[in-house]
Amino acid sequence: MKGLISSAAVILLISCALLFTNYQLEHKTGSAGKDTITVYNWGEYIDPDLLVQFEEREGIKVIYETFDSNEGMMGKIEQGGTSYDLSVPSEYAVQMMEDKELLIPLDFSKIPNIKNIDPYFMNLPFDTDNTYSIPYFWGTVGIAFNQSLLEGQTFESWESLWDASLKQRLIIVDSAREVLGVVLNSRGYSLNSTSLQELKEASDKLETMGPNVKAVIGDEVTQLMINNEASVALTWSGQAADMISENEDIDYVVPKEGSNLWFDNIVIPRTAKNIEGAYKFINFMLEPEVAAQNAEYVGYSTPNKAALAFMDEETVNDERFYPDEEARENLEVYENLGLETLGVYNELFLKFKMGLR
């Protein structure tokens, strides 16, 4: 009998230890139940104070993790090792995640603040009827330039980036879609081109930009431009807004040939464990005052029409960052080109980077 009792005690102790270990792992991986949600977002893409506000209001702890590429984010969600309750993919990534059945359809009855989103930004081609996604931020790809370090260039055309006067003065974003998209636009092609001939032409033209390129980097470009260590940057509108707020000599323009109109979107991945908490967080972020605070902190354009009334008038009336509908007609939204074509874009861009001196 003592042996049986001892064995039972050992089993009980082991079971308790396993339960405790599992509890700790759940907290680490964001699957701790109704009192926790795990948010997977781009870096520097939310006002941290809003996370605190949400936690205090709802009594739900937010575990916040970041990623630096759509592909990396999708891979981690597909592996399923971490139970993310919310993520923020770009438009083409929403399509890819839908195709891979990585998303949960949204229940709008649990998101009453959806009414605050500008109808223009709803029902877009990458997610008709917004079955899986709600717009979070939007913006453009363009050129930031420091007028005090240049000789009068205005960058009204993408062709300006090939000007010999910019030798070793141009910084470009480390992203194949953006860079090749710019070159495609400069030749009058769609930035969603799947034509191998058009991509070859774009690659050949990109090679001739090489002498002008000082660096291919990411977020670091903002500080370099602010500190007058770079004079021209191919960048996103939100980064440009940050530069301008710190350095009055910097301006931003979207060239006449057209560019990218991009959207980042809130989704609920299939890995979600606290779906109710996820809905509460989405609805919170769509409150006008919250969306306004977030937009002013992040620097990108908000699709929340009701939030504009709580923002600085000079910001929302600045057509560099809030272009009107007519201006948007000359912009394209990224489409899901498929893994094979994306691989071609990445290979061509890698070839270009490896050839830089």
Side-chain angles (χ1 to χ4, degrees):
M1 178 67 89
K2 283 185 179 180
L4 289 174
I5 293 175
S6 297
S7 298
V10 170
I11 293 171
L12 181 60
L13 285 171
I14 292 173
S15 298
C16 289
L18 288 172
L19 285 171
F20 180 71
T21 300
N22 185 59
Y23 175 81
Q24 288 186 313
L25 286 172
E26 284 183 337
H27 275 269
K28 283 185 177 181
T29 59
S31 57
K34 66 179 182 179
D35 297 329
T36 302
I37 60 170
T38 301
V39 178
Y40 200 24
N41 199 357
W42 299 89
E44 302 293 324
Y45 216 33
I46 196 169
D47 184 345
D49 182 59
L50 293 175
L51 301 179
V52 176
Q53 288 183 36
F54 175 78
E55 289 178 334
E56 291 177 348
R57 180 191 299 187
E58 300 293 343
I60 298 175
K61 177 178 173 55
V62 179
I63 298 173
Y64 192 80
E65 296 187 20
T66 63
F67 57 85
D68 57 13
S69 75
N70 282 296
E71 289 71 25
M73 173 271 298
M74 285 188 287
K76 198 166 182 182
I77 287 176
E78 194 168 13
Q79 291 168 7
T82 303
S83 299
Y84 295 113
D85 298 297
L86 291 162
S87 190
V88 187
S90 301
E91 61 295 302
Y92 74 91
V94 172
Q95 287 183 302
M96 295 177 73
M97 295 178 81
E98 177 186 352
D99 291 344
K100 293 184 175 185
E101 299 183 345
L102 297 179
L103 302 176
I104 293 174
L106 298 176
D107 181 353
F108 284 170
S109 70
K110 297 180 179 179
I111 317 173
N113 285 330
I114 190 72
K115 65 185 180 184
N116 296 324
I117 298 293
D118 187 332
Y120 178 90
F121 300 110
M122 298 291 287
N123 305 311
L124 295 171
F126 62 88
D127 185 19
T128 54
D129 300 323
N130 291 92
T131 303
Y132 298 98
S133 67
I134 293 174
Y136 180 64
F137 279 120
W138 65 279
T140 57
V141 172
I143 301 171
F145 58 100
N146 188 320
Q147 301 166 85
S148 69
L149 302 177
L150 296 166
E151 294 76 45
Q153 295 98 321
T154 57
F155 298 96
E156 295 178 5
S157 169
W158 287 120
E159 293 296 334
S160 302
L161 297 181
W162 279 265
D163 193 301
S165 67
L166 297 182
K167 185 174 182 179
Q168 282 294 295
R169 303 177 76 179
L170 170 65
I171 292 178
I172 61 176
V173 295
D174 191 6
S175 176
R177 285 297 298 267
E178 276 70 16
V179 176
L180 282 165
V182 162
V183 186
L184 286 164
N185 279 160
S186 76
R187 294 190 60 81
Y189 299 143
S190 167
L191 50 73
N192 291 307
S193 177
T194 58
S195 164
L196 294 180
Q197 179 59 39
E198 290 179 359
L199 287 171
K200 183 182 184 305
E201 290 178 28
S203 177
D204 291 343
K205 184 173 182 179
L206 180 58
E207 297 290 337
T208 66
M209 185 194 285
N212 287 359
V213 177
K214 179 178 181 178
V216 181
I217 54 180
D219 293 338
E220 305 94 323
V221 65
T222 303
Q223 206 58 48
L224 290 175
M225 290 290 291
I226 290 172
N227 294 341
N228 293 333
E229 296 176 55
S231 53
V232 186
L234 170 62
T235 189
W236 294 280
S237 53
Q239 283 189 327
D242 288 340
M243 298 171 194
I244 291 169
S245 69
E246 298 292 331
N247 188 328
E248 62 182 11
D249 291 324
I250 296 175
D251 200 356
Y252 175 76
V253 65
V254 175
K256 63 184 180 182
E257 295 93 342
S259 185
N260 171 228
L261 177 66
W262 57 261
F263 298 90
D264 287 333
N265 313 272
I266 303 176
V267 300
I268 301 179
R270 71 179 184 194
T271 57
K273 296 294 184 182
N274 188 354
I275 296 176
E276 291 304 312
Y279 279 122
K280 288 181 179 180
F281 187 81
I282 294 173
N283 202 52
F284 169 77
M285 294 302 296
L286 293 181
E287 291 181 8
E289 296 93 333
V290 170
Q293 179 178 332
N294 201 31
E296 290 180 341
Y297 177 88
V298 173
Y300 283 101
S301 304
T302 177
N304 193 310
K305 191 172 184 179
L308 302 181
F310 297 90
M311 296 174 63
D312 180 70
E313 285 190 24
E314 186 176 349
T315 298
V316 299
N317 292 327
D318 191 335
E319 292 193 1
R320 293 174 299 180
F321 308 109
Y322 284 88
D324 60 25
E325 288 193 33
E326 183 178 352
R328 293 178 214 153
E329 291 301 315
N330 200 33
L331 305 173
E332 283 185 276
V333 177
Y334 285 139
E335 298 174 1
N336 174 18
L337 303 180
L339 291 177
E340 184 175 346
T341 301
L342 281 177
V344 174
Y345 274 72
N346 290 331
E347 287 175 15
L348 293 175
F349 188 51
L350 179 60
K351 176 188 172 187
F352 167 69
K353 290 194 292 183
M354 291 179 66
L356 293 174
R357 296 178 181 177

